[in-house]
Amino acid sequence: MSEKAPATAEKALSPKSETPAPQPARQKWYEWFAPTDTPAERRLILKLDGLIIVFVFLAYWAKVLDSSATSTAYVSGMKEDLNLYGNQLHYLQTVYMVGFITMQIPLTLLMTRCPVNYFLPAADLLWGVFTLAQYKASNVTQLYALRFFVGALGGFFFPAVQWYLGSWYKSSELSRRGAIFFIASQVGSMSSGYIQAGAYARLDGRYGIEGWRWLYIICFACTIPIALLGLCLLPSTPDTCISRFLTADEIQLAQERMASENREARQPFTRGKIWQILKGWRLWILVTFAFFFSQADGVSSNSGLSLWLKAEGYSVEGINTITTVSPAVTIVASVVCAVFSDIYDAKASWIAVTALLNIFACIVLAIWNVPVGLKFFAFFLSGTADGIAAIIYAWANEICSHSAEERAIVISAMNTIGNTFGAWIPLFVWKTVDAPRYLIGYNWTIALDVCMLAMLAVLVQFWAREKKRSLA
């Protein structure tokens, strides 16, 4: 017995006899918190959701109301009251887009130098004031000036919020929060028509104010309470946070959470830092990728479904009802993609799947002579194209986590390039004379998605190499 004891002991200590370490529990799709989140982290996350997500959702929803207010006002009496003629509506939209595009990067960078908890609500207040001023316009020249400032103050909001979310949330939390924020645009597009139609029907002529002018008053009335709510609730970034709602321990915990993600705090903006950003791969690859993504939603953004329904003889009520399915699909796709990409860290996979779905939808629409049910399915399926927006910007936050300044430049540049090309490419690709069968547009979208898949492979390769270097 004494001779066998050492062998038994040796066997007990051998690697083969060791019990495998239990794998950490994976977060389930319906769970809001990760199993590794401590009670203190969960309280902090809930507070951040209440302080930040509620404000950015409501503020974005209000901005979408204005994006369609001018077109609605034009056909609701503004054209006659201000003696608009020719292409002046197009010029108004162009001036708006000039402010929208040119000021995205400068204002987003300016926000990184200022207390965010004051900068965002203050910009929202100014946006509301300029929106209200449009109701007093007496000629088109005044509207040109006002539309520029409305575009400038509203255009930077999307990239600025994406950067702001990246300053508070982990990579495993960002896509879901970004999806909630993005959904506000879809809810806004679905509700704006009903709000504007109801306002015009009930308020036209009230207190001597024409119905189209009431549209701007309503946008202002929605915006100001939301901006004041932001002034009361929003915390700044963790590195400089002072909040009546967050304790010192919670602010320190937020800083530790960002440090664990290698999410750097704000640093001085130097020429050397700018040069380092410009010569790095992140800016150019992410911006190129964003170009293909931003243009690939052309099926849902160029009214192909509504024009086809009109050509098929559907009533106005039927068209308005059926077309609400597309933003509903986008909402569902945004939630599904965000939840599963967060839990499984599968951003690239969901982007690829969405691109393939959009390619299939556009192939069906390019063929065109298909069963009606399949055509409806293709139009609705194309609504998934925008469902990966939150994933893409969450990924940009993660990839550029080492520099708050690079995050701001890259995210705002991604959004700017999309809006810049989106302002003129549809004039050549989605021509109204080709409606409702946009053969060029559908084939263009197929090419965009194929290119997006190619750029996705490049992005994955560069990001994998970057992570390998950081671990070396």
Side-chain angles (χ1 to χ4, degrees), residues 303-314:
S303 305
L305 175 59
S306 59
L307 293 174
W308 173 61
L309 293 174
K310 183 177 181 180
E312 292 294 310
Y314 283 78

Side-chain angles (χ1 to χ4, degrees), residues 199-252:
Y200 184 82
R202 291 173 175 78
L203 295 175
D204 186 25
R206 183 74 61 89
Y207 306 115
I209 301 174
E210 294 91 343
W212 69 267
R213 297 182 188 271
W214 275 108
L215 299 179
Y216 295 113
I217 297 174
I218 290 172
C219 288
F220 169 81
C222 292
T223 300
I224 297 306
I226 296 171
L228 295 176
L229 181 69
L231 284 173
C232 295
L233 296 183
L234 284 186
S236 187
T237 50
D239 55 314
T240 59
C241 182
I242 298 175
S243 173
R244 64 173 63 92
F245 299 103
L246 298 176
T247 66
D249 289 341
E250 288 171 333
I251 294 173
Q252 182 179 354

Side-chain angles (χ1 to χ4, degrees), residues 300-324:
S300 57
S301 63
N302 286 281
S303 305
L305 175 59
S306 59
L307 293 174
W308 173 61
L309 293 174
K310 183 177 181 180
E312 292 294 310
Y314 283 78
S315 66
V316 173
E317 182 181 356
I319 294 173
N320 290 336
T321 301
I322 294 172
T323 52
T324 60

